[in-house]
Amino acid sequence: MKKEKRLCFIQPCLTNMLKKIKIPKGKTCQPTFQLPTAEKIVFSGCSTTQRYKLTFCGVCLDKRCCIPNKSKMITVQFECPNEGFFRWKMMWITSCVCQRICSAPGDIFSQLKLL
């Protein structure tokens, strides 16, 4: 067994972006969404060498929360100004599920635990 660290980007922190998510008519949740354009990921002042169109977990109108259901691991390369390059593993979300078991509805980080 091997212990590894990875980056996880479950949902953007920008609350105005979350308000723009369109929930289909007759539904109460949009489990996943993507940004309209591919963007570079910024981490500790460094940015990825490629642009990515990430899939994020969405939102619900009721008290459910959406969390990753399926994901895979990818390796992304970051470039730091005047410091070179480094590679880091990242969780790439492929699908999310919305569930009623939420300790804090609307708080996507409420289910996270320190290991």
Side-chain angles (χ1 to χ4, degrees):
M1 191 174 245
K2 183 178 172 185
K3 186 175 182 179
E4 295 181 326
K5 291 182 181 178
R6 65 181 176 176
L7 295 173
C8 298
F9 196 4
I10 298 170
Q11 199 178 63
C13 295
L14 303 171
T15 54
N16 63 339
M17 183 180 298
L18 297 176
K19 291 176 185 173
K20 293 179 182 176
I21 298 171
K22 291 188 171 124
I23 296 175
K25 192 173 184 175
K27 302 280 185 180
T28 55
C29 292
Q30 178 63 40
T32 58
F33 71 96
Q34 283 189 316
L35 297 178
T37 59
E39 296 182 0
K40 290 189 174 192
I41 301 166
V42 178
F43 176 65
S44 295
C46 305
S47 62
T48 54
T49 54
Q50 288 183 269
R51 294 180 181 273
Y52 295 92
K53 195 166 184 179
L54 299 171
T55 299
F56 297 106
C57 290
V59 293
C60 294
L61 298 174
D62 54 14
K63 293 188 183 251
R64 290 185 285 173
C65 54
C66 302
I67 59 171
N69 182 38
K70 292 181 183 171
S71 64
K72 61 183 179 180
M73 195 78 79
I74 65 166
T75 301
V76 293
Q77 182 169 306
F78 289 87
E79 181 178 16
C80 302
N82 305 320
E83 293 185 33
F85 298 88
F86 70 92
R87 291 177 179 264
W88 202 272
K89 290 185 179 176
M90 182 172 175
M91 179 177 80
W92 184 268
I93 296 171
T94 54
S95 71
C96 298
V97 65
C98 301
Q99 59 185 14
R100 294 199 181 279
I101 305 166
C102 303
S103 57
D107 181 1
I108 61 162
F109 302 108
S110 64
Q111 300 294 320
L112 296 180
K113 295 181 177 47
L114 291 174
L115 300 175

